[in-house]
Amino acid sequence: RKVCRKMRFFLFFLLSCSACLAGDHDEIREVLAENFRACNEEDIDALMDTCSMDMPDRPGFRRESAILFGEKDVHYSLVDFRVTKLRGDYAEAWIVQKTYSEDRTSDSDARRAFRNGTTLLPQEETVGYFASFKRERGRWKCLATISEPIPQRKPEPARR
């Protein structure tokens, strides 16, 4: 009977921990999605809201992001994501993102759609990198990129 009770407790503990890890994973992925959305919408305040107050050189990041938003129309999308470390209020994740320039200046929807879907714009770039996250007041925030971006191989086109 004691063994059964211990096993039940262990299984309950294991399931509880798995649910917590899944919840943290989903919350970290969501703050990353919010971060990408803010970048795509060029919303500096929304972008900074996704970033930790402890982010290294936070004012510099804000300034450089504003400059980038003013000079370029860049689109970010999440290709792959997985939490690799979780310790208390800190986490690390492997992120693969696709980045490409987006034409927002064409005078017609058809021309804009054509240019965004062809090689007339600079070639897209897919990179992977490690990033850290910090939980602040119960909410995960982006803390820092902790590795150099690594170009990712694009899938080979289907042969006909």
Side-chain angles (χ1 to χ4, degrees):
R1 225 168 204 201
K2 280 185 178 181
V3 172
C4 237
R5 198 175 343 194
K6 285 180 182 179
M7 285 299 286
R8 254 188 275 151
F9 175 76
F10 178 73
L11 286 174
F12 176 75
F13 177 75
L14 187 63
L15 289 172
S16 297
C17 287
S18 297
C20 290
L21 290 175
D24 286 327
H25 180 277
D26 292 345
E27 289 172 20
I28 294 167
R29 184 183 184 101
E30 182 54 34
V31 77
L32 189 59
E34 289 173 24
N35 181 281
F36 283 20
R37 228 179 347 265
C39 288
N40 294 341
E41 294 170 4
E42 299 181 353
D43 184 339
I44 193 74
D45 291 328
L47 173 64
M48 296 310 295
D49 187 48
T50 68
C51 298
S52 169
M53 295 305 287
D54 293 335
M55 170 185 264
D57 194 17
R58 188 177 161 91
F61 177 77
R62 182 184 182 96
R63 185 175 50 256
E64 289 301 315
S65 296
I67 291 168
L68 175 70
F69 293 166
E71 292 177 353
K72 307 250 187 237
D73 285 325
V74 179
H75 181 80
Y76 303 90
S77 62
L78 186 61
V79 175
D80 191 19
F81 168 85
R82 70 184 140 83
V83 173
T84 57
K85 284 185 187 176
L86 183 60
R87 290 196 181 107
D89 290 338
Y90 292 89
E92 292 179 9
W94 171 250
I95 299 162
V96 178
Q97 78 180 39
K98 182 166 63 170
T99 307
Y100 61 92
S101 296
E102 193 171 56
D103 179 8
R104 297 183 187 164
T105 60
S106 294
D107 56 359
S108 78
D109 289 340
R111 182 174 292 139
R112 189 169 31 255
F114 177 77
R115 289 188 64 193
N116 286 338
T118 67
T119 56
L120 295 175
L121 290 170
Q123 190 170 2
E124 72 185 40
E125 183 176 22
T126 302
V127 296
Y129 56 93
F130 286 97
S132 59
F133 298 83
K134 182 181 178 195
R135 188 179 357 235
E136 295 176 356
R137 295 187 213 134
R139 186 167 178 243
W140 285 102
K141 302 279 187 157
C142 301
L143 181 60
T145 300
I146 55 176
S147 73
E148 290 295 316
I150 302 164
Q152 300 296 294
R153 231 179 117 193
K154 294 178 188 167
E156 296 294 321
R159 298 191 189 263
R160 292 180 187 208

